[in-house]
Amino acid sequence: MDAGAIGALIPIFALSIPIIAIWTRHKTKIAEMQVHTTADATAERAAQYASQVQALEERVRVLERIVTDKGYDVARQIEALRDQRRVDESDSGVSIESLRKERV
């Protein structure tokens, strides 16, 4: 290389250093913004998940209370209704099967 070519490359290198520094800072800021956006979205999803879990836990507590408090009563009442239905069917002389066959 001759002296003229080297002399022309020196200002190009000198000007490219600040340009590369500006570009690097810009890329760093973009990466930080992406990290913050992802963190915010993740926190929002976690809050939604927590509220859904809490709602489900409350529903399970209610169901557990229903089952444990009145579970035996409900089963006994269902059986009593079944027994009453059998008595009603035998008194009327009409069975459910015959009514179903008539509908079809």
Side-chain angles (χ1 to χ4, degrees), residues 42-83:
T42 303
E44 185 177 323
R45 275 188 251 129
Q48 288 174 349
Y49 178 73
S51 68
Q52 289 175 350
V53 167
Q54 183 179 6
L56 288 173
E57 285 176 350
E58 289 174 14
R59 291 178 71 185
V60 167
R61 277 190 217 110
V62 169
L63 290 173
E64 286 175 344
R65 190 177 65 233
I66 290 171
V67 168
T68 57
D69 292 348
K70 299 181 181 179
Y72 181 72
D73 266 353
V74 171
R76 194 167 36 116
Q77 290 172 358
I78 290 172
E79 288 301 319
L81 289 173
R82 286 183 182 155
D83 292 340

Side-chain angles (χ1 to χ4, degrees), residues 11-35:
I12 292 174
F13 285 129
L15 292 174
S16 65
I17 291 173
I19 291 172
I20 291 173
I22 291 170
W23 179 75
T24 304
R25 275 185 273 156
H26 176 69
K27 286 294 188 179
T28 304
K29 285 182 183 179
I30 288 176
E32 288 174 359
M33 289 177 9
Q34 287 176 342
V35 166

